[in-house]
Amino acid sequence: QIHLEESGGGVVRPGRSQRLSCAASGSEFRRSVMHWVRQAPGKGLEWVAAISYDGGHKYYGDPVKGRFTISRDNSKNTLFLQMNSLTVDDTAVYYCGRGLKDMSGPIDRWGQGTMVIFS
Amino acid sequence: QSALTQPPSASGSPGQSVTLSCTGTSSDVANYDSVSWYQLRPGKAPKLILYEVNKRPSGVPDRFSGSKSGNTASLTVSGLQAEDESDYYCSSYGANNKVLFGGGTKLTVL
């Protein structure tokens, strides 16, 4: 089974950038759609972005489109989220997740999350 | 405001059944059988409990069941147990390759 572990969270300042990583175990990563989902304090889950298994297709939620970039390195089993022009509204726990089947499939494996907070 | 609408809270006594609703639109819930439900506990990773409306991943008790009618999906928890107390989120695939979540329902076992 695929195991996911996020890193890269921390304290940031508005307007700055941050890059999150998600390290995956196992060979399933390179065959899987991958997602980023976030949860702001006291709020619900919000889908952030997704990427096809080969990185050829990327999809974004409206609040982050044009500011965030999802990418992956299948040779290193790692998913990334480059976050630019950060605002206080981006404060959240960020989860990476593995999509089952295709883009319309559920997220069946999740990491524990990494927190991004503003100073 | 979340893309899908869920009641903020629900409750039931042990042994009872409770149904949580998730309302979307003709562009998402009504148009695709790609509705999923997740259980989220503080400090823990979300857990998939239903997908494709009514399919259970391995290890999820059959007390959890799902259905859909039009633009509303439902999660029913039968034979409520104390361990079912949690936040539950629905999700649906939507138009233009979007993934939508509901605002979550906090289920309390009385």
Side-chain angles (χ1 to χ4, degrees):
Chain A
Q1 286 188 359
I2 190 170
H3 176 77
L4 304 171
E5 185 168 348
E6 303 91 341
S7 61
V11 179
V12 298
R13 296 194 175 198
R16 301 298 291 269
S17 299
Q18 192 89 345
R19 188 174 86 155
L20 306 182
S21 300
C22 170
S25 65
S27 60
E28 297 173 38
F29 175 81
R30 61 199 63 186
R31 297 191 296 269
S32 300
V33 170
M34 297 298 296
H35 296 262
W36 285 100
V37 177
R38 67 185 181 183
Q39 184 179 30
K43 305 281 186 168
L45 296 175
E46 179 182 40
W47 177 72
V48 174
I51 186 169
S52 60
Y53 75 99
D54 62 354
H57 299 277
K58 303 176 184 182
Y59 310 99
Y60 298 93
D62 291 340
V64 308
K65 200 166 188 178
R67 299 188 300 123
F68 289 13
T69 302
I70 189 171
S71 63
R72 65 192 298 162
D73 185 341
N74 284 347
S75 69
K76 297 181 179 178
N77 276 12
T78 305
L79 175 73
F80 302 101
L81 184 68
Q82 177 66 43
M83 306 186 294
N84 297 332
S85 303
L86 286 163
T87 76
V88 294
D89 291 338
D90 297 316
T91 297
V93 175
Y94 285 76
Y95 299 98
C96 67
R98 192 272 298 266
L100 191 62
K101 298 180 185 178
D102 55 25
M103 180 63 192
S104 67
I107 300 172
D108 70 329
R109 294 286 183 266
W110 297 71
Q112 292 287 337
T114 186
M115 182 80 187
V116 175
I117 57 177
F118 281 79
S119 60
Chain B
Q1 187 174 357
S2 298
L4 306 178
T5 301
Q6 297 183 249
S9 63
S11 63
S13 299
Q16 287 186 332
S17 292
V18 63
T19 297
L20 312 183
S21 64
C22 170
T23 302
T25 70
S26 58
S27 297
D28 38 72
V29 173
N31 201 34
Y32 302 96
D33 281 338
S34 299
V35 175
S36 304
W37 291 87
Y38 301 90
Q39 184 184 64
L40 186 56
R41 293 199 169 102
K44 296 228 170 184
K47 177 184 178 182
L48 176 68
I49 55 172
L50 289 176
Y51 66 101
E52 292 177 4
V53 179
N54 56 13
K55 296 180 180 177
R56 284 185 305 277
S58 174
V60 174
D62 59 6
R63 301 185 293 102
F64 292 88
S65 62
S67 63
K68 188 184 81 166
S69 177
N71 62 0
T72 298
S74 300
L75 164 68
T76 297
V77 187
S78 305
L80 266 177
Q81 298 182 5
E83 66 198 48
D84 299 331
E85 185 161 294
S86 183
D87 293 334
Y88 292 87
Y89 289 86
C90 65
S91 174
S92 175
Y93 179 70
N96 301 316
N97 287 300
K98 304 288 190 189
V99 176
L100 310 173
F101 281 95
T105 296
K106 182 177 182 62
L107 175 61
T108 301
V109 181
L110 302 171

